[in-house]
């Protein structure tokens, strides 16, 4: 495969002082060598095959990562893919803390990227857990009973927005915290907005 074109906005991203610049630039070169398109999405270098997101470079405080959008569908023969969060259904990361790790893994990384492209070419899709499979917190059910318009508005939200609210409300360990979170977002739900809108 040939080296793809560097996107000007991604060049600008790398020109800024970021903690993992050297590591991320090395990841960029490896990815571009696999012949996919570079764009800046969600303020991060993102790589696409025919308009479909394949992989994104992420920077965190403790590490930088290569995150595969459909990583769950890859054959993780090396056992290096990590679920980024407990509720991540599809994404998987490979994390790095130095350039040496990346250089040593370059052939493996290219294999994973090429496999991710093949997954996209084959049209493989992930079976997502349905919103109905998540447990709606008792406090939210109580609010639905008290305010039927809230239930109607919630049910009109996209499944992804519903899941985001359910997960956020459910993460609180105490009922009081769940109640205050629901109170805080009631108007947003009534306005047909997601938690991050």
């Amino acid at each position: 495969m040939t080296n793809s074109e560097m996107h000007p906005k991604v060049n600008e991203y790398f020109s800024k002082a970021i903690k993992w610049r050297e590591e991320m630039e090395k990841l960029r070169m490896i990815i571009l060598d696999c012949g996919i398109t570079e764009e800046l999405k969600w303020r991060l270098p993102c790589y696409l095959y025919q308009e479909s997101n394949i992989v994104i470079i992420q920077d965190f405080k403790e590490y930088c990562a290569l995150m595969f959008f459909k990583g769950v569908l890859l054959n993780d023969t090396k056992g290096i893919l990590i679920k980024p969060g407990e509720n991540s259904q599809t994404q998987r990361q490979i994390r790095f803390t130095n350039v040496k790790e990346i250089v040593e893994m370059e052939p493996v990384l290219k294999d994973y990227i090429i496999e991710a492209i093949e997954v996209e070419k084959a049209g493989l899709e992930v079976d997502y857990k349905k919103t109905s499979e998540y447990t709606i917190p008792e406090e939210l059910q109580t609010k639905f009973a008290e305010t039927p318009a809230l239930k109607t508005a919630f049910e009109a939200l996209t499944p992804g927005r519903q899941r985001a609210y359910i997960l956020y409300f459910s993460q609180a360990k105490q009922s009081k915290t769940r109640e205050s979170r629901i109170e805080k977002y009631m108007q947003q739900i009534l306005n047909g907005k997601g938690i991050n809108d």
Side-chain angles (χ1 to χ4, degrees):
M1 293 196 170
T2 58
N3 206 315
S4 295
E5 222 175 283
M6 293 183 179
H7 194 284
K9 285 186 178 178
V10 178
N11 288 339
E12 188 180 318
Y13 172 85
F14 281 111
S15 73
K16 296 176 181 153
I18 52 175
K19 182 175 180 178
W20 303 103
R21 177 189 283 155
E22 194 179 347
E23 290 81 3
M24 293 172 76
E25 284 179 346
K26 181 61 183 166
L27 288 171
R28 180 190 198 191
M29 292 301 109
I30 291 168
I31 298 165
L32 288 175
D33 207 31
C34 293
I36 54 180
T37 307
E38 178 177 74
E39 287 187 15
L40 195 69
K41 284 188 163 187
W42 306 285
R43 295 190 207 106
L44 293 170
C46 186
Y47 300 85
L48 299 85
Y49 172 77
Q50 295 183 347
E51 306 298 315
S52 294
N53 298 324
I54 301 295
V55 69
I56 193 165
I57 300 174
Q58 303 170 307
D59 63 321
F60 297 94
K61 197 165 142 184
E62 304 295 325
Y63 57 88
C64 69
L66 197 58
M67 198 269 299
F68 292 87
F69 287 91
K70 291 184 180 177
V72 72
L73 297 178
L74 300 179
N75 295 314
D76 187 14
T77 54
K78 302 289 182 190
I80 55 176
L81 294 176
I82 298 167
K83 197 174 180 178
E86 66 177 86
N87 296 309
S88 298
Q89 293 186 56
T90 61
Q91 301 93 353
R92 295 295 180 267
Q93 292 177 331
I94 304 173
R95 298 176 180 174
F96 306 96
T97 55
N98 63 63
V99 175
K100 187 175 178 266
E101 291 175 317
I102 297 167
V103 171
E104 288 171 357
M105 287 186 70
E106 184 169 344
V108 173
L109 295 176
K110 284 184 176 179
D111 287 346
Y112 276 58
I113 293 164
I114 291 164
E115 184 186 353
I117 295 167
E118 292 304 318
V119 161
E120 204 53 52
K121 283 181 183 176
L124 299 180
E125 293 295 331
V126 176
D127 287 329
Y128 289 96
K129 186 175 175 182
K130 292 178 178 45
T131 303
S132 59
E133 295 175 47
Y134 289 91
T135 304
I136 294 177
E138 197 177 307
E139 295 80 4
L140 185 57
Q141 290 178 24
T142 301
K143 277 287 176 206
F144 287 163
E146 293 170 4
T147 316
L150 180 66
K151 183 176 187 194
T152 303
F154 185 83
E155 289 172 348
L157 294 172
T158 62
R161 287 185 170 116
Q162 290 177 15
R163 272 193 306 275
Y165 279 120
I166 291 169
L167 291 171
Y168 179 66
F169 297 153
S170 299
Q171 284 170 348
K173 294 191 182 356
Q174 295 184 356
S175 178
K176 189 171 78 176
T177 309
R178 287 191 293 275
E179 285 173 10
S180 69
R181 285 182 178 186
I182 292 164
E183 285 289 333
K184 181 181 174 187
Y185 283 98
M186 272 181 68
Q187 193 57 52
Q188 199 155 328
I189 294 169
L190 289 166
N191 293 342
K193 303 275 188 199
I195 201 163
N196 297 314
D197 294 343

